[in-house]
Amino acid sequence: MSNTYVSHVAVVVILAMASQCFAATTDAGNGGADADAGRRARASETVAEILAVHNEARRAVGVAPLAWIAGIAGYAREYARSRRGDCAPRRSPLFNFGENVFVGKGRRWNATALAAAWVDEGRRWYDYGSNTCAGAAAAASGPSSPCARYTQVVWRNTTQVGCGRIVCDSGDSLLVCDYFPPGNYGNGRPY
């Protein structure tokens, strides 16, 4: 009888251990759902932060805020992914959008800091009176000049934005933001 008792206790212990393993597995499954919820929350927070950077710059010059458009963000994200191998800050072939592309050295850059760099460059170098890029930025004139990135952020007729950020194979961070309607055309002032 004592062998039967030991066998029953062993079965109970094994069942208890199995139920704990099952509970841990189930909790890990919920952790996966929790992890997905966490990723969605971080993504929403990133979108809000990117919009805040853009819209603060726009508010400072008296233009209406931008709206985040998921479809535009999808285009930007796919283009960013296509640059993962070389991390080159090249413009995409989507010419129906305005576009800003920025590479930050290392993975420490978040999307907000990358977008803030565009605004900071413009605040330092863009001269509204002459509608030109001044100082050190003048040497970097052209389609990728710092002022062009800034003026796209604050372009008065632009109403929508979507962005995508990746970490490239090199370990650097790449942010692509697409804008609609596009700005930086003709000799017009951005605001």
Side-chain angles (χ1 to χ4, degrees), residues 49-182:
E49 290 170 356
I50 290 172
L51 276 175
V53 167
H54 280 78
N55 289 335
E56 172 58 30
R58 293 173 69 82
R59 186 182 60 70
V61 298
V63 295
L66 297 175
W68 185 267
I69 305 299
I72 296 174
Y75 287 121
R77 191 171 36 259
E78 287 306 312
Y79 181 65
R81 287 179 182 152
S82 79
R83 306 274 14 142
R84 186 180 307 275
D86 64 6
C87 212
R90 293 191 185 115
R91 191 178 190 330
S92 75
L94 298 172
F95 288 104
N96 53 330
F97 293 112
E99 189 168 73
N100 282 341
V101 182
F102 189 83
V103 176
K105 294 298 179 189
R107 51 178 70 239
R108 76 185 191 306
W109 291 84
N110 64 28
T112 305
L114 292 166
W118 298 327
V119 174
D120 183 55
E121 289 170 340
R123 285 183 178 156
R124 288 187 300 171
W125 296 321
Y126 179 69
D127 179 52
Y128 183 80
S130 63
N131 195 28
T132 61
C133 207
S141 64
S144 63
S145 83
C147 293
R149 294 186 293 243
Y150 169 73
T151 55
Q152 177 57 81
V153 168
V154 297
W155 197 263
R156 72 183 166 283
N157 295 335
T158 298
T159 58
Q160 303 171 350
V161 65
C163 305
R165 178 197 170 270
I166 63 157
V167 174
C168 299
D169 293 344
S170 65
D172 294 332
S173 300
L174 174 70
L175 176 69
V176 175
C177 287
D178 287 330
Y179 303 84
F180 187 81

